[in-house]
């Protein structure tokens, strides 16, 4: 466990890698993997070096202690034109694709038009693959808006540091009732995905959590054994078995699920664009619910904006000792590259309650 070092916490000071460059891993996630016998933390997130667009892809950093952060580079790269498939990096990663397949993937890798947000990574013991899911959006044929496509993208690699091979983007589960309220998505755009996250349970079952129905509803869906698709075809999936609909009409995003002792926790934000809002959390006995809403986890001054942050993930630093860290983004809409990170310790309280205290320059000790 890290010792004698501090996190800036609610101060939101800039974070730099070991070469002194600003960390670019927004909306991301930190996981610990054992690679070649060595345990390290791996942090992936959105590269906002150039702001909102051109899209910089998914960046990764690794660390042995969560303080010294080594730049592992952009592990899922975007491209300028479809002819970039002939460049060495893309040829090595996608060299077996024909033109039709290149065109299919380019829509989500076109750095001048695509949106890649909320990337999350998990490891599949059966396949030996690292799997990334992310919110895949952007301008495309039939949609001139940045969030009209509303799909989930998936990529795989043999190593957490890539190269990651993008497989495609997809609509996910939906409520099979044409008369239901799908918000601004409508029935025609059912199965839409925007803010999302992943959760890998102790039994190796993987789940994808995402905002849908015009951000009205939080879906939690099982993934297949390879973690690369839904467990059941979306047109035949059964609500309550293959997926659940949660917090219907509540407009929640920025989902961060974690497990502690015998309970599952889900921290979320409201939907106010780049502006922060009060966090909320819920507790359940299993990943798909039912969920009991517990209110705002923030007890201190600034709780109305979650201390100027939006949840990205929860880091299980030492599960056995109850050491968990909330990681949030402090978005800077005017300069996204300079958006900050807010890391805070999670306090576990009686009756399955938690608290996110406002702290600055705090340590694990």
């Amino acid at each position: 466990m890290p010792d004698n070092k501090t996190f800036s916490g609610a101060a939101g000071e800039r974070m730099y890698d070991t070469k002194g460059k600003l960390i670019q891993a927004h909306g991301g996630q930190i996981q610990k993997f054992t690679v070649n016998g060595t345990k390290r933390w791996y942090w992936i997130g959105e590269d906002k070096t150039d702001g909102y667009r051109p899209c910089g892809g998914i960046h990764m950093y690794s660390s042995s202690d969560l303080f010294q952060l080594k730049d592992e580079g952009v592990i899922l790269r975007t491209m300028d034109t479809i002819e970039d498939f002939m460049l060495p990096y893309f040829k090595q990663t996608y060299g077996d694709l024909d033109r039709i397949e290149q065109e299919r993937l380019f829509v989500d890798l076109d750095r001048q038009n695509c949106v890649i947000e909320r990337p999350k990574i998990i490891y599949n013991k059966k396949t030996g693959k690292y799997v990334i899911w992310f919110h895949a959006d952007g301008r495309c044929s039939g949609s001139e808006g940045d969030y009209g496509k509303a799909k989930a993208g998936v990529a795989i690699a043999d190593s957490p540091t890539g190269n990651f091979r993008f497989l495609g983007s997809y609509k996910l589960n939906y409520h099979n009732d044409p008369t239901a309220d799908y918000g601004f998505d409508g029935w025609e755009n059912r199965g839409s995905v925007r803010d999302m996250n992943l959760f890998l349970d102790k039994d190796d079952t993987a789940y994808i959590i995402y905002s849908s129905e015009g951000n009205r509803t939080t879906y939690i869906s099982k993934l297949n054994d390879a973690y690369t698709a839904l467990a059941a075809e979306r047109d035949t999936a059964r609500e309550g078995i293959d997926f659940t609909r949660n917090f219907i009409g509540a407009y929640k995003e920025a989902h961060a699920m974690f497990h502690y002792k015998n309970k599952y926790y889900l921290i979320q934000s409201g939907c106010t664009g780049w502006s922060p809002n009060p966090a909320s959390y819920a507790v359940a006995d299993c990943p798909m619910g039912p969920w009991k809403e517990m209110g705002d986890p923030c007890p201190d001054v600034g709780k109305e904006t979650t201390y100027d942050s939006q949840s990205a993930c929860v880091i299980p630093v030492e599960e056995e000792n109850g050491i968990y860290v909330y990681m949030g983004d402090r978005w800077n809409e005017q300069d996204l590259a300079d958006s900050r990170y807010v890391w805070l310790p999670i306090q576990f309280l009686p009756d399955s309650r938690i608290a996110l205290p406002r702290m600055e320059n705090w340590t694990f000790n």
Side-chain angles (χ1 to χ4, degrees):
M1 185 176 69
D3 192 14
N4 299 323
K5 297 179 182 179
T6 61
F7 297 108
S8 71
E13 296 175 3
R14 292 184 177 93
M15 296 180 69
Y16 298 92
D17 65 22
T18 52
K19 293 185 178 179
K21 293 185 178 180
L22 202 62
I23 298 290
Q24 291 293 331
H26 312 283
Q29 178 201 43
I30 296 180
Q31 294 270 46
K32 181 180 279 187
F33 298 125
T34 301
V35 181
N36 297 325
T38 301
K39 292 183 178 180
R40 286 182 70 83
W41 296 100
Y42 292 87
W43 180 3
I44 68 168
E46 308 161 22
D47 189 314
K48 297 294 190 188
T49 300
D50 297 317
Y52 187 74
R53 190 174 278 122
C55 176
I58 298 175
H59 211 129
M60 172 170 277
Y61 300 84
S62 71
S63 177
S64 61
D65 61 3
L66 293 175
F67 290 96
Q68 298 297 311
L69 296 157
K70 177 186 176 184
D71 185 0
E72 300 287 357
V74 177
I75 58 171
L76 181 70
R77 297 188 188 181
T78 54
M79 53 184 71
D80 288 303
T81 74
I82 196 168
E83 304 308 326
D84 286 357
F85 276 109
M86 300 308 297
L87 297 177
Y89 172 89
F90 295 105
K91 197 168 185 178
Q92 178 186 7
T93 309
Y94 303 100
D96 59 334
L97 298 185
D98 59 25
R99 186 69 174 192
I100 293 175
E101 282 294 289
Q102 289 177 356
E103 290 174 352
R104 181 179 69 86
L105 298 188
F106 179 69
V107 174
D108 293 303
L109 299 176
D110 175 3
R111 68 195 310 261
Q112 303 302 331
N113 290 289
C114 74
V115 170
I116 294 176
E117 294 181 340
R118 302 274 164 184
K120 313 298 177 188
I121 183 172
I122 52 179
Y123 176 66
N124 191 301
K125 295 177 183 176
K126 293 181 180 179
T127 65
K129 300 289 186 182
Y130 294 85
V131 184
I132 288 177
W133 283 84
F134 61 91
H135 168 206
D137 226 314
R139 304 164 191 162
C140 61
S141 177
S143 177
E144 293 300 318
D146 287 324
Y147 294 103
K149 186 166 54 179
K151 293 184 177 182
V154 59
I156 61 173
D158 295 325
S159 164
T161 56
N163 300 347
F164 273 83
R165 179 186 173 99
F166 178 59
L167 302 180
S169 65
Y170 313 95
K171 296 288 191 182
L172 298 182
N173 290 132
Y174 62 91
H175 184 37
N176 191 21
D177 180 0
T179 66
D181 185 353
Y182 284 82
F184 56 77
D185 284 330
W187 172 255
E188 296 75 15
N189 210 18
R190 60 192 179 277
S192 288
V193 179
R194 292 185 176 85
D195 270 18
M196 51 75 58
N197 208 321
L198 296 177
F199 178 74
L200 183 60
D201 206 0
K202 299 296 184 182
D203 64 358
D204 294 326
T205 302
Y207 301 84
I208 185 166
I209 308 109
Y210 58 98
S211 300
S212 193
E213 298 176 6
N215 285 345
R216 293 179 69 257
T217 303
T218 300
Y219 275 65
I220 302 175
S221 298
K222 289 181 182 178
L223 295 177
N224 66 5
D225 287 344
Y227 307 161
T228 55
L230 293 172
E233 293 291 335
R234 74 188 202 109
D235 292 335
T236 57
R238 298 158 296 175
E239 185 172 343
I241 298 175
D242 301 307
F243 69 95
T244 55
R245 297 166 66 240
N246 310 273
F247 318 112
I248 298 170
Y251 292 94
K252 295 177 182 288
E253 61 182 17
H255 322 286
M257 188 186 291
F258 62 100
H259 178 265
Y260 176 63
K261 291 189 175 178
N262 61 340
K263 295 292 184 181
Y264 297 84
Y265 295 81
L266 181 59
I267 299 176
Q268 298 170 291
S269 80
C271 299
T272 53
W274 299 109
S275 302
N277 55 63
S280 63
Y281 77 103
V283 179
D285 293 323
C286 68
M288 293 206 299
W291 292 89
K292 179 182 179 181
E293 298 194 63
M294 306 293 283
D296 189 340
C298 299
D300 298 323
V301 174
K303 66 180 183 180
E304 65 277 2
T305 62
T306 318
Y307 316 129
D308 293 322
S309 76
Q310 183 185 40
S311 45
C313 80
V314 170
I315 311 167
V317 179
E318 283 191 6
E319 298 182 51
E320 65 278 12
N321 294 319
I323 301 176
Y324 288 67
V325 175
Y326 160 93
M327 183 172 77
D329 293 285
R330 180 170 292 169
W331 298 110
N332 180 353
E333 185 177 3
Q334 305 306 315
D335 185 3
L336 287 173
D338 194 31
S339 296
R340 311 293 178 83
Y341 313 97
V342 175
W343 293 25
L344 296 170
I346 293 178
Q347 294 179 345
F348 292 95
L349 307 175
D351 301 320
S352 301
R353 304 194 71 86
I354 63 171
L356 296 179
R358 184 186 185 102
M359 298 181 68
E360 296 184 5
N361 301 315
W362 63 275
T363 72
F364 285 108
N365 293 333

